[in-house]
Amino acid sequence: MSPTTAARMSANSTRIPTPANRTPVDLSPGEAARVVGQVLAPLVAQGAIIRRPRATAWAERHQADRTARAVLAGLRERHDRAPLAVGVGPRRFVVVTEREDVRRLLEDSPEPFSPATTEKRGALAHFQPEGVLISSTTERWHRRPFNEHALQMDQPVHDDGAAFVDAVRRGVADLTRQLDTTGRFDAYAFHEAWWGIVLEVVLGTKARGDRELVAILNTLRRDANWSWLHPRRTRLREELERRIGSYLRAPEPGSLAEAAHRSGPATAVGQVPHWLFAFDAAGAATLRALAVVAARPEVRERVLAEAGPPLAGQGPALLPYTRACVLESVRLWPTTFVVLRESTGPTTWGRRILPAHTGFVVVSSFFHRDPAERPHADDFLPEAWLDGRNDGDWGLVPFSGGPAACPGRNVVLLVASHLLAQLAARDLRVARGRYLARDPLPATVDHLGLRFRIAGSA
């Protein structure tokens, strides 16, 4: 167990659990129908594990997140800010509405609030049955420290950060060739370059062109959108593990595969699929951030000024403002729609005792854009990540929080920020960009519909 994990476990064992301020209320049938139909169903339809293009386009046209936020804000007001209990088939969920409730769920993970919910186990087992997110408490004892150590969770810049930035440069070169030829690129061209970067960062340069691995992973992720309802493709998953294992057996220096091999090769093959999955979400966040940067000259100028020319003999720059732009993109348009937890035993919440296996739901977009908590809810304000305004805000969960927070946060932000800075240097414009040039920003943006061109091109 890593020192970081040990410290957290020790703190959790002695800390008095934060009491819930309000008792969960059972919603009326009509209220429950609104939560299911206008909040949860659109999120499920878009695809929690891999986005469905038609559904995400529909969500943007109808501004689905704005509707969901209005529904939850109205119910919070009506029920005096109490958690909202709702039944979905045989499952019982509690949708929390207060930051302190979010804090309790995240700080008290993995016990008594486990990240390995029934829904996540059904979905993620399609392509990462040994992933730490769906591991039992016993399995987490060695899988979580492995992830923290390999990803160097507590370091702003990974020891192999220079190699990661080199991978970014090669990805930008791929997009540049298309820009120089056509003067434009779309979301699909971006993701093609992004996957080249991700494969190199995670598995090394030899994996950069392995689109068959990506195709297998995405097929399994599409199955995962259906959770328990879709049959398992065991042979396809074994092929995914075989391909990943081929890169892990002789890992290239400067890749996460090498760091994983040092941390525990036997564990690595079960954890790498989640790293690839998480990086895909980071690509969506980077693409949306790029659209805002391209639409706002003043933001672009700050990004370029911060990046500056690379200094010889120094490691990759931290780029705090550019990182904050990526974080602000995730705040405005969360890539994880909901943070889920499941109680491992009977849980006292207010004046109620909730049974074991109760599901708890944190709707990210509701908390991220809650005007009751932040005046800039719908504005692009990366400065709030730098001046302390967002510090300690448990309603902001771009990388979750508490003992189960994403250990890859800093690696993701390093790669995403350097890609954003390098693409900003190309003076891009975004099609349909007027709505991104001013505040307030739309509640839902379909990243798959974004298109870019070089300034001055037709």
Side-chain angles (χ1 to χ4, degrees), residues 174 192-193 195-200 203-215 243 247 252:
D174 292 340
E192 178 69 15
W195 272 116
I197 294 168
V198 170
L199 289 171
E200 182 172 348
L203 298 173
T205 56
K206 293 179 181 178
R208 186 179 187 89
D210 194 348
R211 294 306 185 270
E212 182 63 24
L213 188 155
V214 177
R243 282 182 173 269
Y247 298 109
E252 292 186 34

Side-chain angles (χ1 to χ4, degrees), residues 281-307 318-335 368-369 379-387 390 398-399 409 412-422 424 436 441:
T286 307
L287 191 58
R288 291 190 183 105
L290 177 63
V292 176
V293 170
R296 302 187 180 208
E298 72 282 4
V299 175
R300 176 175 176 267
E301 288 172 7
R302 285 196 63 177
V303 168
L304 294 179
E306 178 178 75
L318 189 59
L319 305 182
Y321 179 78
T322 312
R323 283 189 176 214
C325 288
V326 178
L327 283 166
E328 189 68 345
S329 170
V330 185
R331 181 188 71 82
L332 289 162
W333 304 291
T335 53
H368 285 195
R369 292 212 191 190
D379 301 344
F380 186 77
L381 195 67
E383 292 82 1
W385 295 97
L386 303 173
D387 61 17
N390 290 345
F399 290 88
R409 173 190 173 110
V412 163
L413 290 175
L414 175 70
V415 172
S417 61
H418 277 267
L419 179 59
L420 180 58
Q422 291 185 40
L436 294 171
L441 284 160

Side-chain angles (χ1 to χ4, degrees), residues 21-170:
N21 293 325
R22 292 168 176 82
T23 300
V25 297
D26 292 314
L27 297 183
S28 70
E31 291 172 330
R34 292 184 68 197
V35 170
V36 173
Q38 295 181 288
V39 179
L40 301 181
L43 302 181
V44 173
Q46 290 176 67
I49 308 301
I50 190 170
R51 298 295 183 259
R52 297 182 175 106
R54 291 183 180 178
T56 56
W58 176 91
E60 181 184 84
R61 286 195 304 273
H62 294 272
Q63 289 297 290
D65 292 296
R66 182 174 59 202
T67 301
R69 186 172 66 183
V71 168
L72 292 179
L75 291 172
R76 178 175 66 179
E77 181 69 20
R78 182 180 304 170
H79 294 291
D80 194 25
R81 309 179 81 85
L84 311 172
V86 57
V88 181
R91 292 279 282 152
R92 188 76 168 173
F93 292 97
V94 173
V95 181
V96 298
T97 61
E98 286 286 279
R99 287 189 296 182
E100 281 304 305
D101 292 337
V102 178
R103 178 176 184 171
R104 179 181 179 186
L105 290 172
L106 298 184
E107 284 194 330
D108 290 349
S109 297
E111 290 284 350
F113 303 114
S114 173
T117 68
T118 299
E119 293 71 30
K120 275 195 276 191
R121 286 186 287 109
L124 298 182
H126 281 277
F127 63 98
Q128 50 162 311
E130 296 180 0
V132 68
L133 264 185
I134 56 173
S135 296
S136 67
T137 302
T138 301
E139 292 166 333
R140 286 180 63 86
W141 276 98
H142 67 91
R143 290 175 180 170
R144 175 70 189 195
F146 166 86
N147 280 273
E148 291 184 4
H149 188 262
L151 298 170
Q152 297 182 4
M153 179 180 180
D154 294 327
Q155 293 187 207
V157 177
H158 196 281
D159 288 343
D160 293 316
F164 300 164
V165 172
D166 285 343
V168 170
R169 292 192 187 100
R170 283 185 277 274

Side-chain angles (χ1 to χ4, degrees), residues 184-242:
R184 62 187 66 241
F185 69 89
D186 59 15
Y188 293 92
F190 173 90
H191 281 293
E192 178 69 15
W194 176 256
W195 272 116
I197 294 168
V198 170
L199 289 171
E200 182 172 348
V201 167
V202 176
L203 298 173
T205 56
K206 293 179 181 178
R208 186 179 187 89
D210 194 348
R211 294 306 185 270
E212 182 63 24
L213 188 155
V214 177
I216 293 171
L217 176 64
N218 286 345
T219 296
L220 294 172
R221 288 171 62 200
R222 281 189 284 272
D223 293 351
N225 273 344
W226 298 95
S227 191
W228 298 101
L229 298 178
H230 198 288
R232 300 287 192 263
R233 302 197 205 203
T234 304
R235 290 184 180 178
L236 196 60
R237 178 176 57 76
E238 289 173 348
E239 173 61 15
L240 175 68
E241 293 173 352
R242 186 195 67 76

